[in-house]
Amino acid sequence: YSAVAITVPEAFTVSAVALATYEAAYISKLYGEEIELNGGKVVANIKKKPVMGGMLFDDVWKNLAESTRNKALYAVRQGIEQGNTTAQIVAELRGTRTRMPNGSYEYVGGIVDEVRRNGIEANVRTLRAGIANETMQQTFTALGYKYVKFFNVLDGRTSKKCAFYSNNVYSIDEPHPVPPLHPNCRSLLIGVSDKEGKLEGKRPFVASDKPVSKIPKDQRSDVIGQVGANVGFKSWFNKQDAGFQEDWLGKTRFKLYRDGGYSIDRFVDPTGNELTIAELKEIDARIFKKLNL
């Protein structure tokens, strides 16, 4: 508990300051300028803003620490109630000692391992994304850019919410969505010169819900490629095969998309939150009846 509540946040803050400083230097150099930002001030500023789901930077760690403590407490209570030995209860918390591919041994499958994989690692990735986006916005402002473009990843792991905002252009001075919008969010805000938000070059896509490293090399030619830098998620998605579309949407939403004339924007509310099937049915009962859904 103390590691999650104190040690991890303290260590992360140190790396966050370094990340902010590096990102600012890298981006400004990429754009042909030399801009230096104070990494400490960037991190202090982001700590005042919601990073996902309305939580503040420090709340993420506090909530994880509380959740960790509760899971451990419940496991101990349950173990005692079931008459388990101390060793069995410890095993539930710690997991099973397992030989890893590199020859080392680690404890996996327990509550501690779950917190590390699904809690700490996910939070680190998400908060790093928030720091990177805050740094980028401040750097683009310093570089004189007046607009930012919501730039999300073209692949099967992109959320419905990020797809909803894809390619939208906002004035830096107006309220606008700032990634991360959810855990493990990979979207970015990129500085653009005007409301058109045109970018040069190409951008990659992966027509799969798997990362490239998990796709066999002999199966990549039909899955991985490039499109123009200004292609947004919606127009890219519309050109993918039916199998990919159904995997991303799910069976019912795919039928609404294919046979009911739905665009992918209709599966979210005006703020980008995904609507449930029940909510969609309440909104458009006629289409559901027509499609026998």
Side-chain angles (χ1 to χ4, degrees):
Y1 172 81
S2 62
V4 176
I6 301 172
T7 307
V8 172
E10 288 180 349
F12 180 78
T13 298
V14 173
S15 66
V17 171
L19 172 66
T21 304
Y22 169 80
E23 286 285 346
Y26 175 78
I27 294 166
S28 61
K29 186 175 181 180
L30 195 64
Y31 278 72
E33 300 284 346
E34 291 293 337
I35 301 294
E36 291 187 9
L37 291 185
N38 185 311
K41 289 183 178 180
V42 172
V43 174
N45 189 49
I46 196 174
K47 284 189 175 185
K48 301 174 185 178
K49 300 179 179 181
V51 290
M52 58 178 179
M55 284 192 292
L56 295 176
F57 189 99
D58 290 333
D59 291 339
V60 173
W61 299 117
K62 291 177 183 177
N63 290 349
L64 179 60
E66 186 66 25
S67 173
T68 301
R69 180 169 61 181
N70 288 339
K71 285 180 179 179
L73 178 60
Y74 299 155
V76 172
R77 284 178 178 171
Q78 185 70 18
I80 294 173
E81 178 67 21
Q82 293 177 348
N84 293 344
T85 65
T86 300
Q88 288 173 321
I89 295 173
V90 170
E92 175 73 14
L93 295 171
R94 188 172 57 182
T96 305
R97 189 168 185 264
T98 304
R99 185 180 177 84
M100 309 308 291
N102 63 4
S104 65
Y105 285 88
E106 293 183 11
Y107 287 94
V108 300
I111 291 172
V112 173
D113 182 47
E114 179 189 345
V115 170
R116 177 181 61 81
R117 289 184 292 105
N118 300 328
I120 294 175
E121 291 180 6
N123 283 344
V124 167
R125 284 194 295 269
T126 304
L127 292 175
R128 281 177 64 90
I131 292 163
N133 271 290
E134 176 67 23
T135 303
M136 290 174 74
Q137 285 207 92
Q138 291 193 30
T139 304
F140 287 131
T141 299
L143 290 171
Y145 284 87
K146 303 297 184 183
Y147 300 91
V148 288
K149 184 174 187 176
F150 195 96
F151 201 76
N152 66 324
V153 181
L154 300 180
D155 68 17
R157 293 180 290 150
T158 292
S159 69
K160 309 294 189 299
K161 189 164 194 170
C162 287
F164 174 76
Y165 289 116
S166 180
N167 267 22
N168 286 359
V169 177
Y170 306 94
S171 167
I172 283 182
D173 297 329
E174 71 175 323
H176 57 271
V178 179
L181 304 185
H182 55 81
N184 295 318
C185 182
R186 298 168 295 154
S187 296
L188 299 170
L189 290 173
I190 296 177
V192 289
S193 56
D194 54 39
K195 291 182 179 180
E196 293 297 316
K198 296 296 183 183
L199 297 169
E200 299 293 332
K202 300 281 188 178
R203 61 181 306 197
F205 70 81
V206 182
S208 172
D209 60 358
K210 299 178 182 178
V212 173
S213 61
K214 298 290 182 65
I215 302 174
K217 292 184 178 180
D218 60 352
Q219 297 177 19
R220 295 181 182 180
S221 60
D222 297 328
V223 175
I224 300 171
Q226 291 186 328
V227 291
N230 296 295
V231 174
F233 191 92
K234 182 178 177 180
S235 59
W236 172 76
F237 180 84
N238 290 340
K239 296 179 180 179
Q240 303 310 303
D241 63 48
F244 174 83
Q245 292 173 341
E246 184 171 4
D247 286 343
W248 191 76
L249 288 170
K251 185 176 180 180
T252 300
R253 290 183 178 84
F254 175 65
K255 192 169 180 63
L256 290 167
Y257 169 82
R258 183 188 61 186
D259 302 329
Y262 273 45
S263 70
I264 63 173
D265 292 338
R266 292 182 67 177
F267 297 116
V268 296
D269 67 18
T271 61
N273 293 313
E274 187 173 359
L275 296 167
T276 65
I277 298 299
E279 289 170 333
L280 289 168
K281 188 172 185 178
E282 184 177 354
I283 293 169
D284 207 348
R286 181 182 62 84
I287 291 294
F288 272 74
K289 184 177 181 180
K290 179 181 178 181
L291 299 177
N292 294 315
L293 293 173

